[in-house]
Every structure is written in C-alpha cells, then in structure tokens.
Amino acid sequence: MTPSVNDEELARTTPLDQFDVSRPELYLREGLHPYFKRLRDEDPVHYCKQSAYGPYWSVTRFEDCVAIDTNHKVFSSDASVGSFVLDDATLNPVVENGLFLPNFLGMDPPRHDIHRKVVSPAVAPENLERIEPLIRQRSQKVLDSLSIGETFNWVERVSIELTTMMLATLLDFNFEERRNLTRWSDVVTASPGDGVIESWEQREKELRQCEATFQKMFAERKAAPPKSDLISMMAHSPEMADITPEEFLGTVVLLIVGGNDTTRNSMSGSAMAAHLYPAEFEKVRSNQALIPSAVSETIRWQTPIAHMRRTALCDYEFRGKQIRKGDKVVMWYLSANRDERVIANPMAFIADRKNPRHHMSFGFGIHRCVGNRLAEMQVRVLWEEFFKRFSKIEVVGEVTRIPSCLIHGYTSIPVRLSK
Amino acid sequence: MPKIKYITHDGKEYDVDAHEGASVMEAATSSNVPGIDGDCGGALACGTCHIYVDPAWFAKAGTPAQDAEQEMLSLLDNRQDNSRLSCQISMSAELDGLVVRLPRGQH
C-alpha cells in the first residue's frame, strides 16, 4: 500500500477519459469508490480506451446494470464471442493449447438454460433445508475452535474453512483434500505476479491437475448409481449427456469459484462490517430477527463479485452512447451497490435497511446467481452461531485485500474476539 | 380495494387488501406475507416472486404477457403451467378475490 495516494483527490482531478477502474492496485487499497462515484455522476456509461484488458465500457449505475444484465439478446455472456469477465484470460486459453473453460454462465440460451437447470435443484430451497443442519454443525465446530483474546486470520480460519467444507460436501469431494478446491478456486481467477501464481504455465499446470481429479470423479460417479452430489447429478443427467470434457471442467470451475470466492468474501465482509459498524452489529446481536436482513446487507456492502462483463452482439445505442458490435461492456456491481439513486446512504452498512434484498450482488436476469439462497444460508448460520459464542469482533492489524477487479475481497483480516 | 388470498406451501392463508394497480408481489411484500421475496423490486429480473395462480383464476391471471416473464419462469425448478411472476400481475377490480399459492421457497 502506498499511503501517499489520495484517491479522492485523483478521482476529482483526473480527466474522465483517463479513467480505468479495472486497475488492480485500486482494489488492493480499496480506493475505487471515489472513481465510481464520479463515473455515476458524470459519465455513467463510460468508455475506457485502453487498459490491461483492452478497451471496455463501464456501466456504473444500478438501473443501467439491471438493463444490461436483463438484455442478454444484445449483451451476450457466450464464451464464443468473448467472456463474462473482463479479463479474457480467465476462461480462454492463454498458453498454447491451453485450457478453455466453457460453462453455462458463459453460454446464451438455449444451451445455458439446459445446463443451469441441471445444477439448480442442488441449491433449491428444499435441498437447502436438508443440508442446513450439517452446515450449522460445521460452523459450530469452526467457531468452537476459536479462542477468546487470541489474534488470528478470520479469512483463513473461518471464511475459507467454512466455504471450502460446504463446497466439498456439494461436490462430494475427498474431505481431507478439500483445500485443493480453495487453491483451484484462487488459481482460476489469478494472473501472474498477483501473489497466487508466478506464470500462466503454472496456472495451466495446476488447472490440469484439477481437470484430472474431476474427470476421475466424473467417471466413477457415472459408473455408480446416482447420488445427490453435483458431480453425480451432472454425470447422470440426460441433458448433460453430450457435455464435452472441457465443458465439464468449465462447469466445475464455475461451481468452485461461484461457491467459494463469493461466500468466502461475504463471510470476511461480515467481520469487517462488524468491526467498522459496532452499533449496527450490536443492533443485530440484541435483535436476532434482523440476521437475514443483515446478511443481505453484508452481501450488498461487500459485493464479492465486483463486476460481470458482457459482449455486444450488435451495434446498440445505450443512454446516448454508441456501443459497437464486439465491444466489452462491464457492469460494475460494486458501483451499482453504491448508487445513491437507488440505495440510500449506500456507503454505510445498515443492518435494518429497508428492502435489503434489493442489491446487485447476485446479478439480475437469466444469469442471476443460482446459489444465492445457499450463500445467504451459510452467512446467516455463521452470524447465528457467532452470537451464541461471542459478543464482539475487532480487527486488530493490517487488512490485506485481493488485487483483483473481479473478486472483491480479502486475503487477511487479523481479528480478536470477545465473549 | 381488490382482495388477494395467499396460501403458503404449508397451507397458511393470508388475506390482503391490495391497492388498485399494485402488483401481487408488492401487495405481499408490503403486508409482510412470507414466501415472496421480490429481490429485483418488480423489474422482471430475478424470479423470486414466483407464485401459482389458483385454477379458478387461471383464465384471468394465469398466462404471462411478456416473453421476458416466460424466460425467467423457464429457469425455475418448480415451474408449473399456472406459474407466474407475481410482480407482473397488476391488481384491479376484475381480480378481486384472486387466490395464489406460494412455492416452498424462492431462489
């Protein structure tokens, strides 16, 4: 972190045509909000001519993000025309003969609908009721392992541990090797020099191990009678009978990242919010009927996925700007969730906010997060069990963040708990 | 004020007086009827206000008017022929007495 950087000042004085809100250092120092605010106010559909990812449009207002997200006939997610994240390298081959990771988030209808509906029942309310006791048990165990007064990294001990266990359960992945899931999840969205991987070749190598592991699981589950885990569901699904090995890996990767980095950072965001807004935390502790509302507010306030991207399938005029066929269009969920036009006092964490569910974090339209209720349940159970054991959480050291314009979250939050 | 009866998946009934022009989703959320979430606020963008129109009301309120509603409905696991997104049913005198049933959960 460079303490001399004043983002408020820079956001005010930098000419708009030099704005590039995708720069990782902005996320590393959580300096992006003043830039987003200026874009929302002065140039809500903004063209960035040059970035590490090439030129792209930034859509920063809430209603505009909803408009793009729900217009999938013009703004495509399909991997064949681009990607659903700004960086093409995340899902498309970077090294020669490298991995391509197609999945239903990167598909348009009708194939999208067919694949999505195969996995959707696993995270439907009926199934969630069934797995909630297990999630509660694990959350209890993890929280019971934390000592009062000890300083520890909340991200590592709580957020990563709980989300990884959940994912291992949904996939029926070897429980002892579950940290491989965490690693692969990090590797997918990594780029060289970000502290996760050193080179594209290293990323490729690790993802090949992921592929081999899941191909083996797929073959085993296919040969065995159907079970309720996601891999078995896919292996036995008639709708996915023609799934290619690449699509299978792409879908697995989507489930790993979608079920891991996201909820992980909502759990980490919970600790940050509790520390930064002690009065709000206290409000929830003394009236636990507010927990569901506080959970939605945490997911809004944190916005674990900072953006989703689409690619224009044709020339299209949007809010007076001429978008060209093939242009990358980025919906900045992180900015939409801070849009004063829709959300009152948006920078603040307000546990009993009116309409807490009305946020952008899950996206809208046909690609809306399929695991949204699972995520909410995991975070809700964490808060419920936390309050049974502790009354306060304090951040007691330097917080480190992920230098990514996609995953908006933390690598380290040193905390201390009080009884 | 036209009346709506909401019946939850476990048989609990909620009777609500709706404002003329309000949607079946809005009437539920503003009266704290559990089981309708309405995350997107009525923008036809999320599918979390899914309901089943009672067979007696199917002719008047059972058919989605827009392709976009069909599209969101088609992604639901528990869709039936009488499924609607309740944000897209606007209350009027003609629908006075409407009966809708709620799924077990929204997602």
Side-chain angles (χ1 to χ4, degrees):
Chain A
M1 194 191 281
T2 320
S4 59
V5 177
N6 182 339
D7 287 300
E8 294 278 352
E9 179 68 12
L10 275 175
R12 201 170 53 77
T13 54
T14 305
L16 279 170
D17 65 1
Q18 288 170 30
F19 268 42
D20 174 11
V21 285
S22 73
R23 288 177 299 138
E25 63 271 23
L26 290 176
Y27 295 82
L28 190 60
R29 61 174 190 254
E30 184 71 353
L32 36 100
H33 292 297
Y35 301 92
F36 280 139
K37 177 159 175 39
R38 184 151 169 230
L39 287 179
R40 285 194 302 273
D41 289 344
E42 295 177 29
D43 197 12
V45 180
H46 170 264
Y47 191 66
C48 173
K49 288 193 295 283
Q50 207 182 349
S51 82
Y53 315 108
Y56 67 93
W57 292 95
S58 281
V59 179
T60 45
R61 286 187 186 171
F62 192 105
E63 299 298 353
D64 291 348
C65 284
V66 175
I68 300 288
D69 228 352
T70 52
N71 190 356
H72 58 267
K73 291 191 177 80
V74 173
F75 298 102
S76 168
S77 282
D78 209 273
S80 64
V81 295
S83 181
F84 56 81
V85 294
L86 178 55
D87 187 355
D88 283 331
T90 306
L91 298 159
N92 301 310
V94 183
V95 300
E96 203 180 335
N97 297 318
L99 277 170
F100 175 53
L101 300 168
N103 57 57
F104 62 86
L105 182 49
M107 290 176 194
D108 288 340
R111 198 162 171 77
H112 157 267
D113 301 14
I114 296 165
H115 281 209
R116 179 187 168 109
K117 281 163 82 172
V118 172
V119 304
S120 181
V123 287
E126 293 79 357
N127 204 40
L128 297 185
E129 282 175 27
R130 197 177 60 78
I131 57 181
E132 183 172 327
L134 180 66
I135 296 201
R136 186 172 301 279
Q137 224 176 43
R138 293 207 179 128
S139 303
Q140 289 166 341
K141 204 168 158 197
V142 163
L143 292 175
D144 283 339
S145 76
L146 308 172
S147 312
I148 307 271
E150 170 202 2
T151 299
F152 65 91
N153 179 3
W154 175 272
V155 176
E156 185 64 31
R157 295 276 299 277
V158 178
S159 314
I160 292 181
E161 187 62 0
L162 284 176
T163 43
T164 304
M165 286 196 293
M166 179 63 232
L167 199 58
T169 306
L170 277 185
L171 298 166
D172 194 16
F173 190 85
N174 183 330
F175 210 66
E176 303 312 310
E177 291 174 13
R178 64 184 182 276
R179 282 294 172 121
N180 282 341
L181 297 173
T182 320
R183 175 67 192 166
W184 291 327
S185 178
D186 290 341
V187 167
V188 171
T189 54
S191 51
D194 63 0
V196 178
I197 55 165
E198 295 302 319
S199 65
W200 290 118
E201 286 72 21
Q202 183 196 351
R203 176 176 180 273
E204 183 75 13
K205 197 172 152 230
E206 294 201 32
L207 289 179
R208 291 284 179 197
Q209 288 163 358
C210 172
E211 182 185 32
T213 305
F214 277 98
Q215 282 298 348
K216 188 163 166 277
M217 283 169 66
F218 187 85
E220 286 167 4
R221 305 278 155 92
K222 205 177 171 75
K227 293 189 301 158
S228 62
D229 69 87
L230 280 163
I231 303 299
S232 181
M233 279 167 74
M234 286 198 274
H236 287 278
S237 152
E239 291 82 7
M240 279 194 177
D242 65 341
I243 196 167
T244 64
E246 280 187 327
E247 278 180 344
F248 171 66
L249 180 65
T251 307
V252 165
V253 159
L254 173 64
L255 297 171
I256 293 178
V257 176
N260 199 28
D261 299 66
T262 52
T263 311
R264 179 200 303 179
N265 288 302
S266 292
M267 289 180 170
S268 298
S270 302
M272 289 298 288
H275 170 76
L276 293 170
Y277 298 89
E280 294 300 308
F281 181 77
E282 195 46 41
K283 215 191 273 180
V284 186
R285 197 176 74 91
S286 57
N287 174 14
Q288 296 188 17
L290 285 176
I291 290 177
S293 165
V295 166
S296 286
E297 175 67 350
T298 307
I299 294 169
R300 177 198 73 88
W301 182 79
Q302 179 57 40
T303 318
I305 297 291
H307 82 265
M308 281 282 119
R309 166 213 155 173
R310 302 291 183 251
T311 308
L313 291 177
C314 57
D315 291 358
Y316 190 82
E317 196 186 307
F318 185 70
R319 307 287 184 256
K321 298 289 178 92
Q322 188 59 55
I323 295 172
R324 301 279 172 203
K325 181 180 175 178
D327 283 357
K328 296 174 179 174
V329 179
V330 178
M331 303 170 283
W332 291 104
Y333 292 173
L334 190 54
S335 172
N337 275 337
R338 296 286 188 279
D339 185 353
E340 307 77 358
R341 290 152 197 83
V342 174
I343 294 160
N345 193 6
M347 293 303 286
F349 179 92
I350 301 172
D352 51 356
R353 187 180 279 286
K354 196 168 172 265
N355 292 331
R357 289 187 163 285
H358 193 51
H359 62 68
M360 198 72 220
S361 298
F362 295 132
F364 282 115
I366 62 166
H367 294 292
R368 182 172 159 80
C369 175
V370 73
N372 54 10
R373 297 313 190 237
L374 170 62
E376 289 170 352
M377 185 251 276
Q378 291 181 85
V379 180
R380 169 173 59 77
V381 169
L382 173 62
W383 283 70
E384 286 169 357
E385 294 301 323
F386 185 90
F387 286 131
K388 289 182 194 157
R389 292 161 178 78
F390 313 105
S391 62
K392 197 171 165 194
I393 175 165
E394 285 170 290
V395 177
V396 292
E398 197 187 341
V399 170
T400 52
R401 294 169 185 274
I402 303 168
S404 158
C405 70
L406 176 62
I407 307 294
H408 181 234
Y410 314 85
T411 50
S412 172
I413 307 177
V415 300
R416 202 160 45 209
L417 307 175
S418 318
K419 184 102 184 142
Chain B
M1 289 169 103
K3 288 187 190 309
I4 311 172
K5 186 187 283 295
Y6 300 87
I7 305 175
T8 62
H9 74 98
D10 52 359
K12 286 199 194 76
E13 298 190 0
Y14 295 83
D15 292 300
V16 170
D17 291 319
H19 289 285
E20 193 117 347
S23 73
V24 173
M25 179 276 283
E26 288 161 343
T29 51
S30 61
S31 311
N32 297 315
V33 175
I36 292 187
D37 295 338
D39 291 12
C40 79
L44 206 47
C46 72
T48 66
C49 65
H50 175 212
I51 52 106
Y52 304 112
V53 173
D54 187 82
W57 289 90
F58 186 78
K60 280 187 176 163
T63 310
Q66 292 189 55
D67 288 350
E69 184 181 347
Q70 289 281 16
E71 212 161 48
M72 291 309 295
L73 284 169
S74 72
L75 295 174
L76 299 175
D77 308 317
N78 44 5
R79 185 190 186 176
Q80 299 172 7
D81 289 344
N82 56 342
S83 285
R84 288 293 309 270
L85 294 182
S86 57
C87 69
Q88 298 302 307
I89 307 175
S90 176
M91 284 310 288
S92 61
E94 202 197 356
L95 292 180
D96 185 25
L98 178 68
V99 179
V100 300
R101 289 165 204 280
L102 310 182
R104 185 157 183 159
Q106 307 278 355
H107 92 126

